Amino acid sequence: MSEKKPALWLRIFSFLVYVYIYLPILILIVFSFNTQKLNIRWEGFTFKWYEVLFNDSNVMLATRNTLLIAFISTLVATVIGTMAALALQRYRFPGYALTESVLYIPVIIPEVVMGISLLAFFALIKFQLGLVTITLSHIAFNIPFVALVVRARLHGFDKSIEEASMDLGANELTTFWRVTLPTIMPGVLSGAMLAFTLSLDDYVITYFTAGPGATTLPLRVFSMV
Amino acid sequence: MDEFAVEMRDVVKIFPTPEGGEVAAVNHVTLQIKHGEFFSMLGPSGCGKTTSLRMMAGFEWPTEGEIYIDGTAMGRTPPYLRTVNTVFQSYALFQHMSVFQNVAFGLEMEHVPKKEIEHRVRDALEMVKLSGMGRRKPKQLSGGQQQRIALARALVKRPAVLLLDEPLGALDLKLRKEMQLELKALQKEVGITFVYVTHDQEEALTMSDRIAVMSQGKVLQIGTPVEIYERPNCRFVADFIGETNFLKGRVKKTDEDLLTVELLDFPREIKGVGQGNLAVGQEVSISIRPEKVRLEDDINDDTAPYKDSDNLLRGRVLTTAYVGSDTRIIIDIGHNISLIVWEQNHISTLDPQAYYTAEDKVVIHLPFENTLVLPEG
């Protein structure tokens, strides 16, 4: 690869794109230190709003819930998503094409649809809405994302390394832990990171599956706007 | 210890095809590989050589028949319980481990004490001339070096049999030739039975004690390199190993070893040595190796050196190619048939008269013992 510099217009254009993406966030951060409550005019520097935030027990509870849900749903979705990706890579079975396409539907369908259907489902089986239903829902929409990312990593996976491992005396389980998993780990980690991010700021599906008592940070913030 | 290191007894392996059919990748193969032997399985792609090797390793199980390793029937024994190790065509190194960890992996699985592992890994790396590379990652090494690690990783386990699946396939020609000789020397040094799969006939001839030539799931011939090259038992083997010319014919007469064959393309009888049981009237191929014929100028008088021979073909030189050690000459013998003849350049001269050129009239003399009569197949 040659290391030549991009053209001037390309650099200016790229710079403007970054401004467009990050300037609003930057302004928000700056104005969070503003003494004036309305973010229109800069009046003076203060930490007051942060004090208010950390003393608001509702916000803190919502934050804790959000992190807990994100953590658990990421963990479970990563395990299941990785297993699904491995199975689709390794086996051919009747209904393969259907299984493959159905797995990715949650990625495409509108969140509202998924939220309502999950709500209807929990209502149908008379499951009390709360943190558990939010977590279950997050697991459900995270699985396909993890599976998608892990499958991309598995593309071009050399099956012979697993054979080599067994050839050298490792049984199936040892082969998975010592050879297969470390090899696909980058894919598993990026899948998990994606799942974690999606869970952290999900609003729509959480809104439908939260129930009266449970709240997460996105829900809390929306209710305060 | 059993008489044979590996034995295949009437082994069949059937795979389903994507279209829903079935194909016999290995079709009733029986062969015996002796202890300490360098045994090659040679054939074009799809001939069943790799499937046979994979069945020895335990990655596939025979549909029918049985594979014995050192006298023990393998059945459905998984790879990790077999006393064989494999060197893969793709090397199959563990990229997330260092070279040392790669080689140590198999010993860890055997729960060899740590001190001994270190010792044996060091010896193995030394054996493949990669001492001091232990801390590198496989990616940082060249193709040839990666190949050596794969070899060390398999050999460090001291297997009864080492299975090699086209291990030099990905290397460039020069490195390949070096590695061939090195592998052969290594095999003699460690004394382990090598089963070597290749589609490269020259490689098989260079390295092997014995070769099994395979085609379409069947073993056609098993023999030493000399036997395979000098006495192929059918047209396919003669064609696959080295270069040769074929003339089609029909057996006219059999007296002991010498057969008289009537050519099909033009009226002429050729005498040659028959392989296998050939009956009068059977259609055969006559195989004539390009280096095993004698070429003479076609001078039409009684002093011609070939006047008493009867295995003669007359022709006209079409083209010649001087390649140093010999000159390759294509000769038109009429009836739309041309033969390739290699004339060794055993006299060093610049005289153009010493070499054949296009349009020269020549006589091709086929010594009986160099003219092989082979069944089709």
PDB file of all heavy atoms in Angstrom, chain A residues 162-189:
ATOM      1  N   GLU A 162      -9.070 -27.940  13.803  1.00  0.00           N
ATOM      2  CA  GLU A 162      -9.773 -28.780  14.778  1.00  0.00           C
ATOM      3  C   GLU A 162      -9.359 -30.242  14.613  1.00  0.00           C
ATOM      4  O   GLU A 162      -9.175 -30.962  15.592  1.00  0.00           O
ATOM      5  CB  GLU A 162     -11.291 -28.639  14.605  1.00  0.00           C
ATOM      6  CG  GLU A 162     -11.796 -27.271  15.034  1.00  0.00           C
ATOM      7  CD  GLU A 162     -13.295 -27.116  14.860  1.00  0.00           C
ATOM      8  OE1 GLU A 162     -13.869 -27.822  14.004  1.00  0.00           O
ATOM      9  OE2 GLU A 162     -13.884 -26.290  15.575  1.00  0.00           O
ATOM     10  N   GLU A 163      -9.213 -30.641  13.359  1.00  0.00           N
ATOM     11  CA  GLU A 163      -8.753 -32.008  13.113  1.00  0.00           C
ATOM     12  C   GLU A 163      -7.344 -32.199  13.654  1.00  0.00           C
ATOM     13  O   GLU A 163      -7.032 -33.234  14.249  1.00  0.00           O
ATOM     14  CB  GLU A 163      -8.808 -32.315  11.611  1.00  0.00           C
ATOM     15  CG  GLU A 163     -10.230 -32.466  11.104  1.00  0.00           C
ATOM     16  CD  GLU A 163     -10.314 -32.743   9.618  1.00  0.00           C
ATOM     17  OE1 GLU A 163      -9.303 -32.566   8.919  1.00  0.00           O
ATOM     18  OE2 GLU A 163     -11.403 -33.133   9.162  1.00  0.00           O
ATOM     19  N   ALA A 164      -6.509 -31.186  13.448  1.00  0.00           N
ATOM     20  CA  ALA A 164      -5.137 -31.264  13.953  1.00  0.00           C
ATOM     21  C   ALA A 164      -5.137 -31.425  15.467  1.00  0.00           C
ATOM     22  O   ALA A 164      -4.389 -32.228  16.021  1.00  0.00           O
ATOM     23  CB  ALA A 164      -4.359 -30.024  13.541  1.00  0.00           C
ATOM     24  N   SER A 165      -5.996 -30.692  16.124  1.00  0.00           N
ATOM     25  CA  SER A 165      -6.077 -30.765  17.578  1.00  0.00           C
ATOM     26  C   SER A 165      -6.462 -32.170  18.045  1.00  0.00           C
ATOM     27  O   SER A 165      -5.846 -32.727  18.959  1.00  0.00           O
ATOM     28  CB  SER A 165      -7.096 -29.738  18.076  1.00  0.00           C
ATOM     29  OG  SER A 165      -7.466 -30.003  19.394  1.00  0.00           O
ATOM     30  N   MET A 166      -7.468 -32.735  17.381  1.00  0.00           N
ATOM     31  CA  MET A 166      -7.905 -34.084  17.755  1.00  0.00           C
ATOM     32  C   MET A 166      -6.828 -35.100  17.401  1.00  0.00           C
ATOM     33  O   MET A 166      -6.612 -36.075  18.125  1.00  0.00           O
ATOM     34  CB  MET A 166      -9.199 -34.434  17.040  1.00  0.00           C
ATOM     35  CG  MET A 166     -10.309 -33.461  17.371  1.00  0.00           C
ATOM     36  SD  MET A 166     -11.836 -34.280  17.798  1.00  0.00           S
ATOM     37  CE  MET A 166     -12.574 -34.438  16.227  1.00  0.00           C
ATOM     38  N   ASP A 167      -6.155 -34.844  16.289  1.00  0.00           N
ATOM     39  CA  ASP A 167      -5.075 -35.714  15.849  1.00  0.00           C
ATOM     40  C   ASP A 167      -3.960 -35.743  16.888  1.00  0.00           C
ATOM     41  O   ASP A 167      -3.296 -36.760  17.086  1.00  0.00           O
ATOM     42  CB  ASP A 167      -4.541 -35.182  14.514  1.00  0.00           C
ATOM     43  CG  ASP A 167      -3.528 -36.115  13.879  1.00  0.00           C
ATOM     44  OD1 ASP A 167      -3.955 -37.167  13.392  1.00  0.00           O
ATOM     45  OD2 ASP A 167      -2.332 -35.792  13.887  1.00  0.00           O
ATOM     46  N   LEU A 168      -3.772 -34.603  17.569  1.00  0.00           N
ATOM     47  CA  LEU A 168      -2.692 -34.499  18.552  1.00  0.00           C
ATOM     48  C   LEU A 168      -3.117 -34.980  19.932  1.00  0.00           C
ATOM     49  O   LEU A 168      -2.356 -34.868  20.896  1.00  0.00           O
ATOM     50  CB  LEU A 168      -2.199 -33.049  18.626  1.00  0.00           C
ATOM     51  CG  LEU A 168      -1.495 -32.569  17.360  1.00  0.00           C
ATOM     52  CD1 LEU A 168      -1.337 -31.060  17.367  1.00  0.00           C
ATOM     53  CD2 LEU A 168      -0.136 -33.244  17.205  1.00  0.00           C
ATOM     54  N   GLY A 169      -4.353 -35.466  20.044  1.00  0.00           N
ATOM     55  CA  GLY A 169      -4.738 -36.099  21.296  1.00  0.00           C
ATOM     56  C   GLY A 169      -5.795 -35.373  22.095  1.00  0.00           C
ATOM     57  O   GLY A 169      -6.120 -35.795  23.198  1.00  0.00           O
ATOM     58  N   ALA A 170      -6.336 -34.268  21.579  1.00  0.00           N
ATOM     59  CA  ALA A 170      -7.365 -33.539  22.317  1.00  0.00           C
ATOM     60  C   ALA A 170      -8.742 -34.065  21.920  1.00  0.00           C
ATOM     61  O   ALA A 170      -8.999 -34.243  20.735  1.00  0.00           O
ATOM     62  CB  ALA A 170      -7.268 -32.048  22.014  1.00  0.00           C
ATOM     63  N   ASN A 171      -9.608 -34.275  22.901  1.00  0.00           N
ATOM     64  CA  ASN A 171     -10.955 -34.711  22.550  1.00  0.00           C
ATOM     65  C   ASN A 171     -11.786 -33.499  22.092  1.00  0.00           C
ATOM     66  O   ASN A 171     -11.278 -32.378  22.048  1.00  0.00           O
ATOM     67  CB  ASN A 171     -11.612 -35.455  23.711  1.00  0.00           C
ATOM     68  CG  ASN A 171     -11.753 -34.588  24.947  1.00  0.00           C
ATOM     69  OD1 ASN A 171     -11.794 -33.356  24.857  1.00  0.00           O
ATOM     70  ND2 ASN A 171     -11.816 -35.212  26.109  1.00  0.00           N
ATOM     71  N   GLU A 172     -13.060 -33.731  21.787  1.00  0.00           N
ATOM     72  CA  GLU A 172     -13.879 -32.669  21.207  1.00  0.00           C
ATOM     73  C   GLU A 172     -13.943 -31.440  22.126  1.00  0.00           C
ATOM     74  O   GLU A 172     -13.824 -30.301  21.666  1.00  0.00           O
ATOM     75  CB  GLU A 172     -15.302 -33.172  20.932  1.00  0.00           C
ATOM     76  CG  GLU A 172     -15.411 -34.151  19.767  1.00  0.00           C
ATOM     77  CD  GLU A 172     -15.133 -35.598  20.167  1.00  0.00           C
ATOM     78  OE1 GLU A 172     -14.708 -35.841  21.319  1.00  0.00           O
ATOM     79  OE2 GLU A 172     -15.344 -36.490  19.315  1.00  0.00           O
ATOM     80  N   LEU A 173     -14.136 -31.679  23.414  1.00  0.00           N
ATOM     81  CA  LEU A 173     -14.321 -30.570  24.351  1.00  0.00           C
ATOM     82  C   LEU A 173     -13.034 -29.746  24.485  1.00  0.00           C
ATOM     83  O   LEU A 173     -13.048 -28.517  24.412  1.00  0.00           O
ATOM     84  CB  LEU A 173     -14.753 -31.134  25.712  1.00  0.00           C
ATOM     85  CG  LEU A 173     -15.466 -30.136  26.617  1.00  0.00           C
ATOM     86  CD1 LEU A 173     -16.784 -29.703  25.996  1.00  0.00           C
ATOM     87  CD2 LEU A 173     -15.707 -30.755  27.994  1.00  0.00           C
ATOM     88  N   THR A 174     -11.922 -30.457  24.685  1.00  0.00           N
ATOM     89  CA  THR A 174     -10.636 -29.769  24.800  1.00  0.00           C
ATOM     90  C   THR A 174     -10.345 -29.001  23.521  1.00  0.00           C
ATOM     91  O   THR A 174      -9.840 -27.876  23.547  1.00  0.00           O
ATOM     92  CB  THR A 174      -9.504 -30.787  25.061  1.00  0.00           C
ATOM     93  OG1 THR A 174      -9.924 -31.651  26.105  1.00  0.00           O
ATOM     94  CG2 THR A 174      -8.221 -30.093  25.442  1.00  0.00           C
ATOM     95  N   THR A 175     -10.665 -29.618  22.392  1.00  0.00           N
ATOM     96  CA  THR A 175     -10.445 -28.958  21.113  1.00  0.00           C
ATOM     97  C   THR A 175     -11.231 -27.656  21.043  1.00  0.00           C
ATOM     98  O   THR A 175     -10.714 -26.627  20.617  1.00  0.00           O
ATOM     99  CB  THR A 175     -10.875 -29.887  19.960  1.00  0.00           C
ATOM    100  OG1 THR A 175     -10.030 -31.026  19.963  1.00  0.00           O
ATOM    101  CG2 THR A 175     -10.771 -29.191  18.616  1.00  0.00           C
ATOM    102  N   PHE A 176     -12.484 -27.682  21.535  1.00  0.00           N
ATOM    103  CA  PHE A 176     -13.270 -26.451  21.503  1.00  0.00           C
ATOM    104  C   PHE A 176     -12.637 -25.363  22.357  1.00  0.00           C
ATOM    105  O   PHE A 176     -12.452 -24.237  21.917  1.00  0.00           O
ATOM    106  CB  PHE A 176     -14.708 -26.714  21.965  1.00  0.00           C
ATOM    107  CG  PHE A 176     -15.524 -25.457  22.008  1.00  0.00           C
ATOM    108  CD1 PHE A 176     -16.045 -24.914  20.839  1.00  0.00           C
ATOM    109  CD2 PHE A 176     -15.738 -24.786  23.209  1.00  0.00           C
ATOM    110  CE1 PHE A 176     -16.773 -23.726  20.863  1.00  0.00           C
ATOM    111  CE2 PHE A 176     -16.468 -23.595  23.243  1.00  0.00           C
ATOM    112  CZ  PHE A 176     -16.986 -23.073  22.058  1.00  0.00           C
ATOM    113  N   TRP A 177     -12.265 -25.714  23.581  1.00  0.00           N
ATOM    114  CA  TRP A 177     -11.732 -24.698  24.495  1.00  0.00           C
ATOM    115  C   TRP A 177     -10.349 -24.221  24.116  1.00  0.00           C
ATOM    116  O   TRP A 177     -10.024 -23.042  24.252  1.00  0.00           O
ATOM    117  CB  TRP A 177     -11.717 -25.227  25.944  1.00  0.00           C
ATOM    118  CG  TRP A 177     -13.069 -25.279  26.545  1.00  0.00           C
ATOM    119  CD1 TRP A 177     -13.761 -26.404  26.895  1.00  0.00           C
ATOM    120  CD2 TRP A 177     -13.933 -24.174  26.850  1.00  0.00           C
ATOM    121  NE1 TRP A 177     -14.996 -26.060  27.387  1.00  0.00           N
ATOM    122  CE2 TRP A 177     -15.132 -24.707  27.371  1.00  0.00           C
ATOM    123  CE3 TRP A 177     -13.815 -22.789  26.716  1.00  0.00           C
ATOM    124  CZ2 TRP A 177     -16.201 -23.896  27.778  1.00  0.00           C
ATOM    125  CZ3 TRP A 177     -14.877 -21.988  27.122  1.00  0.00           C
ATOM    126  CH2 TRP A 177     -16.046 -22.543  27.636  1.00  0.00           C
ATOM    127  N   ARG A 178      -9.522 -25.153  23.641  1.00  0.00           N
ATOM    128  CA  ARG A 178      -8.122 -24.780  23.398  1.00  0.00           C
ATOM    129  C   ARG A 178      -7.866 -24.270  21.979  1.00  0.00           C
ATOM    130  O   ARG A 178      -6.913 -23.539  21.746  1.00  0.00           O
ATOM    131  CB  ARG A 178      -7.207 -25.991  23.652  1.00  0.00           C
ATOM    132  CG  ARG A 178      -7.149 -26.458  25.094  1.00  0.00           C
ATOM    133  CD  ARG A 178      -6.273 -25.562  25.964  1.00  0.00           C
ATOM    134  NE  ARG A 178      -4.966 -25.270  25.379  1.00  0.00           N
ATOM    135  CZ  ARG A 178      -3.872 -25.958  25.635  1.00  0.00           C
ATOM    136  NH1 ARG A 178      -3.908 -26.975  26.454  1.00  0.00           N
ATOM    137  NH2 ARG A 178      -2.740 -25.620  25.068  1.00  0.00           N
ATOM    138  N   VAL A 179      -8.683 -24.703  21.016  1.00  0.00           N
ATOM    139  CA  VAL A 179      -8.388 -24.348  19.624  1.00  0.00           C
ATOM    140  C   VAL A 179      -9.502 -23.520  18.974  1.00  0.00           C
ATOM    141  O   VAL A 179      -9.267 -22.415  18.503  1.00  0.00           O
ATOM    142  CB  VAL A 179      -8.107 -25.623  18.788  1.00  0.00           C
ATOM    143  CG1 VAL A 179      -7.960 -25.284  17.314  1.00  0.00           C
ATOM    144  CG2 VAL A 179      -6.849 -26.307  19.299  1.00  0.00           C
ATOM    145  N   THR A 180     -10.734 -24.062  18.982  1.00  0.00           N
ATOM    146  CA  THR A 180     -11.810 -23.391  18.266  1.00  0.00           C
ATOM    147  C   THR A 180     -12.118 -22.019  18.861  1.00  0.00           C
ATOM    148  O   THR A 180     -12.080 -21.003  18.163  1.00  0.00           O
ATOM    149  CB  THR A 180     -13.084 -24.262  18.281  1.00  0.00           C
ATOM    150  OG1 THR A 180     -12.732 -25.592  17.955  1.00  0.00           O
ATOM    151  CG2 THR A 180     -14.098 -23.739  17.284  1.00  0.00           C
ATOM    152  N   LEU A 181     -12.394 -21.993  20.165  1.00  0.00           N
ATOM    153  CA  LEU A 181     -12.800 -20.740  20.790  1.00  0.00           C
ATOM    154  C   LEU A 181     -11.723 -19.654  20.697  1.00  0.00           C
ATOM    155  O   LEU A 181     -12.024 -18.524  20.297  1.00  0.00           O
ATOM    156  CB  LEU A 181     -13.232 -20.994  22.241  1.00  0.00           C
ATOM    157  CG  LEU A 181     -13.951 -19.814  22.900  1.00  0.00           C
ATOM    158  CD1 LEU A 181     -15.201 -19.434  22.123  1.00  0.00           C
ATOM    159  CD2 LEU A 181     -14.316 -20.137  24.345  1.00  0.00           C
ATOM    160  N   PRO A 182     -10.465 -19.964  21.042  1.00  0.00           N
ATOM    161  CA  PRO A 182      -9.449 -18.908  20.912  1.00  0.00           C
ATOM    162  C   PRO A 182      -9.342 -18.372  19.479  1.00  0.00           C
ATOM    163  O   PRO A 182      -9.072 -17.193  19.276  1.00  0.00           O
ATOM    164  CB  PRO A 182      -8.144 -19.604  21.320  1.00  0.00           C
ATOM    165  CG  PRO A 182      -8.564 -20.743  22.162  1.00  0.00           C
ATOM    166  CD  PRO A 182      -9.897 -21.194  21.637  1.00  0.00           C
ATOM    167  N   THR A 183      -9.567 -19.254  18.504  1.00  0.00           N
ATOM    168  CA  THR A 183      -9.437 -18.821  17.117  1.00  0.00           C
ATOM    169  C   THR A 183     -10.558 -17.854  16.728  1.00  0.00           C
ATOM    170  O   THR A 183     -10.326 -16.882  16.017  1.00  0.00           O
ATOM    171  CB  THR A 183      -9.436 -20.039  16.177  1.00  0.00           C
ATOM    172  OG1 THR A 183      -8.396 -20.919  16.583  1.00  0.00           O
ATOM    173  CG2 THR A 183      -9.201 -19.629  14.736  1.00  0.00           C
ATOM    174  N   ILE A 184     -11.785 -18.140  17.215  1.00  0.00           N
ATOM    175  CA  ILE A 184     -12.886 -17.263  16.823  1.00  0.00           C
ATOM    176  C   ILE A 184     -13.118 -16.150  17.842  1.00  0.00           C
ATOM    177  O   ILE A 184     -14.035 -15.348  17.703  1.00  0.00           O
ATOM    178  CB  ILE A 184     -14.199 -18.063  16.622  1.00  0.00           C
ATOM    179  CG1 ILE A 184     -14.636 -18.738  17.922  1.00  0.00           C
ATOM    180  CG2 ILE A 184     -14.043 -19.088  15.515  1.00  0.00           C
ATOM    181  CD1 ILE A 184     -16.043 -19.308  17.836  1.00  0.00           C
ATOM    182  N   MET A 185     -12.259 -16.085  18.883  1.00  0.00           N
ATOM    183  CA  MET A 185     -12.455 -15.122  19.962  1.00  0.00           C
ATOM    184  C   MET A 185     -12.626 -13.678  19.486  1.00  0.00           C
ATOM    185  O   MET A 185     -13.507 -12.977  19.982  1.00  0.00           O
ATOM    186  CB  MET A 185     -11.294 -15.217  20.960  1.00  0.00           C
ATOM    187  CG  MET A 185     -11.641 -14.791  22.356  1.00  0.00           C
ATOM    188  SD  MET A 185     -13.290 -15.326  22.840  1.00  0.00           S
ATOM    189  CE  MET A 185     -13.112 -15.506  24.558  1.00  0.00           C
ATOM    190  N   PRO A 186     -11.836 -13.189  18.547  1.00  0.00           N
ATOM    191  CA  PRO A 186     -12.047 -11.809  18.099  1.00  0.00           C
ATOM    192  C   PRO A 186     -13.486 -11.564  17.635  1.00  0.00           C
ATOM    193  O   PRO A 186     -14.074 -10.530  17.950  1.00  0.00           O
ATOM    194  CB  PRO A 186     -11.064 -11.661  16.941  1.00  0.00           C
ATOM    195  CG  PRO A 186      -9.995 -12.652  17.217  1.00  0.00           C
ATOM    196  CD  PRO A 186     -10.684 -13.807  17.886  1.00  0.00           C
ATOM    197  N   GLY A 187     -14.043 -12.545  16.917  1.00  0.00           N
ATOM    198  CA  GLY A 187     -15.417 -12.425  16.462  1.00  0.00           C
ATOM    199  C   GLY A 187     -16.394 -12.455  17.619  1.00  0.00           C
ATOM    200  O   GLY A 187     -17.345 -11.668  17.683  1.00  0.00           O
ATOM    201  N   VAL A 188     -16.149 -13.350  18.577  1.00  0.00           N
ATOM    202  CA  VAL A 188     -17.032 -13.465  19.733  1.00  0.00           C
ATOM    203  C   VAL A 188     -17.007 -12.159  20.540  1.00  0.00           C
ATOM    204  O   VAL A 188     -18.045 -11.645  20.959  1.00  0.00           O
ATOM    205  CB  VAL A 188     -16.612 -14.655  20.626  1.00  0.00           C
ATOM    206  CG1 VAL A 188     -17.444 -14.700  21.896  1.00  0.00           C
ATOM    207  CG2 VAL A 188     -16.739 -15.954  19.856  1.00  0.00           C
ATOM    208  N   LEU A 189     -15.809 -11.597  20.716  1.00  0.00           N
ATOM    209  CA  LEU A 189     -15.688 -10.357  21.489  1.00  0.00           C
ATOM    210  C   LEU A 189     -16.387  -9.199  20.790  1.00  0.00           C
ATOM    211  O   LEU A 189     -17.093  -8.415  21.432  1.00  0.00           O
ATOM    212  CB  LEU A 189     -14.212 -10.018  21.731  1.00  0.00           C
ATOM    213  CG  LEU A 189     -13.529 -10.844  22.813  1.00  0.00           C
ATOM    214  CD1 LEU A 189     -12.078 -10.398  22.974  1.00  0.00           C
ATOM    215  CD2 LEU A 189     -14.266 -10.709  24.146  1.00  0.00           C
TER     216      LEU A 189
END
